[in-house]
Amino acid sequence: MTNEAALRSSMVGLALVMVLVWLWTQSLKKTVITYAIGVSLIAGIVLPDWDFFDRSFSRWTYPVTAEERAAALSRKSQSSRFSVYPMRMVVYVTAYGYAVYRWWMFVTK
């Protein structure tokens, strides 16, 4: 699955969650907050694995060089879609767990 397809399917899933929140709560405010949290979660999970973002943070302000593009292509031959970094996983679990918890408390009020 390419990055664009992953982004597209994630956005369709978010749209379905938004419809369910709207039907359950009948609240535009809760639906908009669901959209904002969903987009930020999708951006944090899908975008870091794109070639541009899968580099050192200090290199994000510069265009992708030919060497970086070649290195990214050689990494794509690996079987795993996501790069697993322990610190990234700790930050994701902590931040996203708290965000989903707060969202759930807000929606169920």
Side-chain angles (χ1 to χ4, degrees):
M1 179 182 279
T2 65
N3 291 324
E4 290 80 14
L7 181 61
R8 188 179 314 116
S9 62
S10 298
M11 294 303 286
V12 168
L14 176 59
L16 292 174
V17 169
M18 289 173 57
V19 167
L20 291 175
V21 167
W22 171 255
L23 291 174
W24 185 26
T25 64
Q26 296 292 312
S27 169
L28 180 62
K29 180 179 177 182
K30 291 180 180 181
T31 305
V32 169
I33 289 175
T34 300
Y35 172 76
I37 290 175
V39 167
S40 64
L41 292 175
I42 290 169
I45 293 172
V46 176
L47 290 182
D49 286 317
W50 286 15
D51 297 339
F52 183 82
F53 295 103
D54 197 15
R55 312 185 286 164
S56 172
F57 179 73
S58 62
R59 298 283 307 148
W60 285 8
T61 57
Y62 302 103
V64 178
T65 63
E67 293 84 20
E68 290 171 334
R69 189 176 313 275
L73 287 174
S74 68
R75 283 193 307 264
K76 283 188 187 275
S77 63
Q78 298 173 354
S79 62
S80 176
R81 178 191 156 7
F82 291 106
S83 302
V84 178
Y85 300 107
M87 280 308 293
R88 183 194 288 183
M89 297 306 292
V90 168
V91 170
Y92 280 178
V93 168
T94 303
Y96 293 158
Y98 183 72
V100 169
Y101 167 76
R102 296 294 296 174
W103 168 78
W104 183 254
M105 291 295 117
F106 179 76
V107 169
T108 57
K109 281 187 187 181

